[in-house]
Amino acid sequence: MKADVFFHNGAILTMNANVQPEALAVADGKILAVGNKLELEPLIDSSTKVIDLAGSALLPGFNDAHVHVWKVGHLRTTMLDLREQTTLEGVYAAVRERATQLTPGTWLLGRGWNEAKLIGGAPDKTGLDAAAPNNPVVLTRTCAHIHAANSSALALSSITSETVAPTGGELDWLRGHAIETAYGLLQRAMPAPSVADYQGYILAGLGYLRSLGVTSATDPAVDPVLLEAYRSLEAQNKLPIRVNVLFIRRPDGGSETFPLPEKFNSGFLRIEGVKFFADGGLSGATAAVSIPFRNTEHTSYGVLRFETEELYQLALEAHLAGFRIGTHAIGDRALDQILEVYERLEIEHPNGMRHRIEHFGLANKTHLERAKKLGVIVVPQAIFLHELRANFQQYVPTPFLEHCYNLRAMIDAGLTLALSTDGPVVRELDPLEGIKAAMTEPMVEGNGITLEESLQAYTLNGAIAQGDGSNRGTLEVGKHADLVVISNPFTTKPEHWKLEKTFVAGLEITQ
Ligand SMILES: [Zn+2]
């Protein structure tokens, strides 16, 4: 067999420390050979594309182990992105401009405002009425827990000054703000995304990730309609990168339980994982903690979403059916709970499955040891250390700050750590920025991880976290030729790191 693509003259980072090959050959979308240049040269013929790396590095494509693909795509298409706005007037101007592109009556949705960063404060009903008098408008705060609506949106949702907010929510009629579960009232009036809408968002989200050198990703909260969108894109060979989904069993804010999906596994789509939420988040101070958050209006220990027994029963059903479980758990109380659930599964129904913990934000020494013993794969977000640092410093209980996304401790405990972004919770989805944050921005100095560890966490460990470690994640013969060429990170400074080329299944992506 002849090589379709042949790489040489650079640093070939196989993610296997023992091998430092000079050349790599690709054929039929897979890695054909890795080794000595002279030995591999006979694989070249007139149709081979020979790539002189000129000192740059070739490595497995990046894997984002936790990214809300459709939401990323939504913000890049029809959802108004407010994350860059610095003034309230800027927010209103963006709404005004978007409204001119919409037919009257069409919902105008936006996301990403943060009153702490806006001169003029939070958007409100009066301002939104003036900016878009003919469209219902809902602008979601960056945290997704507070939503500003205009009069038209409130009227369509049958919200009046008399409306009582549902349990766990709040309505601020004068400002037009719906908080926590009160958002459900607005949401019911909005058109739900169709399969076709979701397809558009998925393609926009995955296309963007691919432009950053991400060649595989896990979408960590997929409901039945979104799943249908993924299935049909896969059937039409339209998925631009490989996707693993974690199917959601209990939707956010809901009490119904979706039945387990049909398992599916092709080269580009993998459905064999489920997702649970054990608690809330750190940036909005809703993770379940044993010491109260600082600087909150009322004393708050955050929220546990489940009674332990109920979570165990739901997890058991998935575990017995051979699904990998990924559980969102950040606070120490949530970590205690999910580790107890995983320990029970392991003792009562051992099957060798390595379950995941998403975020793993405030893990202490005991959590690390328990997770290691169970073979749990942890999926933290290094980029949080950069983008959400101010929130952590404001809210996280002081004794927990040293545990906060302590990647060094996770690796030292022997855990398999897969890096991710949780986009669009953060704006920056570039793996090279995540690697920089992992190395240089720990909450406590000295707790950064090395370049080698970061690269492995963004490639091989991501593949393992998806149960796909035998097909990708390293540069070995027979694995998918999902590759990136970047400026050599070992010989250039981080500020000069640059993605040069991306290949998916052996094909070079031209953006
Ligand atoms: Zn998430």
Side-chain angles (χ1 to χ4, degrees), residues 13-17 59-65 215-216 354 356 377 416-419 452-476 479 482:
L13 310 176
T14 61
M15 298 302 132
N16 177 348
L59 63 154
F62 294 115
N63 175 85
D64 191 327
T215 58
S216 56
R354 296 182 67 187
R356 307 172 29 147
I377 296 161
T416 301
L417 179 158
L419 280 176
E452 290 91 333
E453 288 164 341
S454 311
L455 290 171
Q456 183 176 318
Y458 245 123
T459 55
L460 174 59
N461 294 358
I464 293 170
Q466 301 182 3
D468 210 19
S470 56
N471 296 315
R472 53 193 183 79
T474 61
L475 303 185
E476 286 176 280
K479 288 198 171 183
D482 298 348

Side-chain angles (χ1 to χ4, degrees), residues 32-113:
L32 173 66
V34 189
N36 185 293
K37 191 181 171 213
L38 274 177
E39 280 168 29
L40 263 55
E41 260 167 357
L43 296 169
I44 299 175
D45 73 4
S46 56
S47 64
T48 304
K49 185 173 177 179
V50 177
I51 295 182
D52 179 350
L53 293 167
S56 289
L58 176 72
L59 63 154
F62 294 115
N63 175 85
D64 191 327
H66 182 126
V67 55
H68 300 272
V69 171
W70 80 266
K71 292 183 183 175
V72 169
H74 199 184
L75 272 166
R76 298 188 68 79
T77 51
T78 59
M79 166 87 71
L80 185 60
D81 189 347
L82 300 168
R83 291 175 296 182
E84 290 289 86
Q85 297 298 337
T86 53
T87 67
L88 180 58
E89 197 30 62
V91 169
Y92 289 146
V95 169
R96 209 176 300 125
E97 205 218 305
R98 177 59 63 90
T100 62
Q101 301 160 14
L102 298 174
T103 48
T106 308
W107 285 76
L108 192 167
L109 305 179
R111 176 171 171 163
W113 59 272

Side-chain angles (χ1 to χ4, degrees), residues 66-68 71 220-221 275 277 328 358-359 381 384 420-425:
H66 182 126
V67 55
H68 300 272
K71 292 183 183 175
K275 172 73 173 287
F277 287 90
H328 166 119
E358 313 297 305
H359 311 303
Q381 291 71 36
F384 282 5
S420 70
T421 58
D422 202 16
V425 169

Side-chain angles (χ1 to χ4, degrees), residues 122-203:
D124 64 17
K125 183 170 64 178
T126 316
L128 293 174
D129 283 346
N134 303 316
N135 297 84
V137 181
V138 176
L139 303 185
T140 297
R141 190 181 179 277
T142 184
C143 65
H145 294 270
I146 304 172
H147 312 264
N150 70 351
S151 295
S152 167
L154 294 166
L156 288 168
S157 311
S158 306
I159 297 173
T160 68
S161 59
E162 311 285 289
T163 306
V164 178
T167 317
E170 240 177 89
L171 281 169
D172 180 340
W173 168 253
L174 281 179
R175 304 174 82 194
H177 285 189
I179 297 148
E180 298 289 352
T181 59
Y183 176 60
L185 301 175
L186 290 167
Q187 207 180 19
R188 272 199 286 279
M190 294 175 193
S194 64
V195 172
D197 291 335
Y198 273 135
Q199 288 180 336
Y201 305 149
I202 290 169
L203 291 176

